[in-house]
Amino acid sequence: MSVQIRQAGPADVPALHGLVAELARYVDALPHFTATVEAYQKDFEDGFYHAIVAEDDGRVIGMALYYFVYSTWKGRMIYLEDFVLEPAYRRRGIGQRLWDTLQERGRERGCKLLKWQIVDTNTEALKFYAAQDATIENNWLNGKLEL
Amino acid sequence: MSVQIRQAGPADVPALHGLVAELARYVDALPHFTATVEAYQKDFEDGFYHAIVAEDDGRVIGMALYYFVYSTWKGRMIYLEDFVLEPAYRRRGIGQRLWDTLQERGRERGCKLLKWQIVDTNTEALKFYAAQDATIENNWLNGKLEL
């Protein structure tokens, strides 16, 4: 196995978009996936997000997409927005390598915490995070409003 | 009443820090408020957060602290991290003016959604958000890990 972990550049954006599209199709939710590849490209250039990719023989087969956020109590944090690995590449430690690299990116920028969200039905993800000694909190509600 | 709403500049950072400190003291949680005013200053300069302030006669009496985040499905979003208004200034529509300005900041940057979190025991905040026609979701868990 020759899977490489590296920082995503602008040329990887279509592959990032493709991984999300594949997942949206898999969960039969394509109508909710409204972000276009053109928007992804512009938003990447404008620094709205960053990504670490896993690449096998020149093809991107996984990603950890993240950005930096802020806690008024704790300071700088790194936020994992999306974590995707093609099914055929799971259970080989690739997710762990993406995860470890993500933590490194946070430390490099002086972040005190890594944060993320998990939908409460995603038992596979909950098992992974439990193995990372993560704290999972269930007393926060998400608010959202369309602009 | 002459309360002004305006964008925070570097000179407002000590006041932002002071509002959070006051709240941390009020809820008897000062040991958990570890971010220093020096860190706030550097993080503001480095673009980790922005704020809209409410000012009365030259004194900052409220703030909406925010930053920009990203949804792989929906694209650009604006995230409200902290919303503080001194008790004496509540129920006068100042929170609404901060909230409306926040939405405007989101639209200006092409955000599709405003997002935030509320702890499930904060009934006062839940009432405010219900009046804003916000969607409140209870099926997400927060994950965190110290770096």
Side-chain angles (χ1 to χ4, degrees):
Chain A
M1 188 179 73
S2 63
V3 171
Q4 305 293 316
I5 305 294
R6 61 169 176 78
Q7 194 67 17
D12 296 308
V13 170
L16 302 178
H17 189 269
L19 283 173
V20 179
E22 200 175 314
L23 190 65
R25 203 175 297 117
Y26 181 76
V27 299
D28 206 18
L30 267 184
H32 296 288
F33 176 41
T34 54
T36 64
V37 68
E38 291 77 18
Y40 261 51
Q41 201 85 51
K42 171 110 176 72
D43 300 338
F44 184 84
E45 285 160 20
D46 288 354
F48 273 80
Y49 68 90
H50 316 274
I52 303 156
V53 295
E55 187 179 58
D56 183 22
D57 201 17
R59 196 170 70 83
V60 170
I61 52 83
M63 70 167 188
L65 190 144
Y66 67 95
Y67 39 80
F68 295 94
V69 299
Y70 202 70
S71 157
T72 47
W73 289 47
K74 302 291 182 196
R76 300 177 180 209
M77 307 188 293
I78 185 168
Y79 187 88
L80 174 63
E81 174 64 30
D82 216 344
F83 197 9
V84 184
L85 197 55
E86 288 189 357
Y89 288 87
R90 293 180 193 167
R91 298 173 194 282
R92 295 201 208 170
I94 302 168
Q96 187 68 51
R97 289 167 67 198
L98 285 168
W99 180 254
D100 293 344
T101 306
L102 182 69
Q103 291 189 60
E104 195 47 43
R105 292 288 174 279
R107 287 190 205 101
E108 286 164 6
R109 287 294 300 272
C111 297
K112 303 283 184 285
L113 287 170
L114 164 61
K115 295 200 78 177
W116 66 95
Q117 289 203 314
I118 324 113
V119 70
D120 59 9
T121 51
N122 191 343
T123 49
E124 194 179 359
L126 283 166
K127 253 186 276 179
F128 176 83
Y129 295 128
Q132 310 298 323
D133 278 330
T135 301
I136 305 292
E137 297 175 327
N138 66 357
N139 60 326
W140 289 87
L141 305 171
N142 278 3
K144 69 177 177 182
L145 188 76
E146 290 197 27
L147 294 177
Chain B
M1 188 179 71
S2 63
V3 171
Q4 306 292 317
I5 305 293
R6 61 170 177 78
Q7 195 67 17
D12 295 307
V13 170
L16 303 179
H17 189 269
L19 283 173
V20 178
E22 200 175 314
L23 189 65
R25 204 174 296 116
Y26 181 76
V27 299
D28 205 18
L30 268 184
H32 297 288
F33 175 43
T34 54
T36 64
V37 67
E38 291 76 18
Y40 262 51
Q41 201 85 50
K42 172 108 175 72
D43 300 337
F44 184 85
E45 284 159 22
D46 288 353
F48 273 79
Y49 68 90
H50 314 276
I52 303 156
V53 295
E55 186 179 59
D56 184 21
D57 200 17
R59 196 170 71 82
V60 170
I61 52 84
M63 69 165 190
L65 191 144
Y66 67 95
Y67 39 80
F68 295 94
V69 298
Y70 202 70
S71 158
T72 46
W73 289 48
K74 301 293 181 194
R76 299 179 180 207
M77 307 188 293
I78 184 168
Y79 186 88
L80 174 62
E81 174 64 30
D82 216 344
F83 197 10
V84 184
L85 197 54
E86 288 189 357
Y89 288 86
R90 293 179 194 168
R91 298 173 194 283
R92 296 198 205 171
I94 302 167
Q96 188 69 51
R97 289 167 67 198
L98 285 167
W99 179 255
D100 293 344
T101 306
L102 182 70
Q103 290 188 62
E104 195 47 41
R105 291 290 173 277
R107 288 190 204 100
E108 286 164 6
R109 288 292 300 273
C111 298
K112 302 284 185 288
L113 286 171
L114 164 61
K115 296 201 78 177
W116 66 96
Q117 288 204 314
I118 324 113
V119 69
D120 59 9
T121 51
N122 191 345
T123 49
E124 193 179 1
L126 284 166
K127 253 187 275 180
F128 176 82
Y129 295 128
Q132 310 298 322
D133 279 330
T135 302
I136 306 293
E137 297 176 326
N138 66 357
N139 59 327
W140 288 86
L141 305 172
N142 279 2
K144 69 177 180 184
L145 189 75
E146 291 198 26
L147 294 178

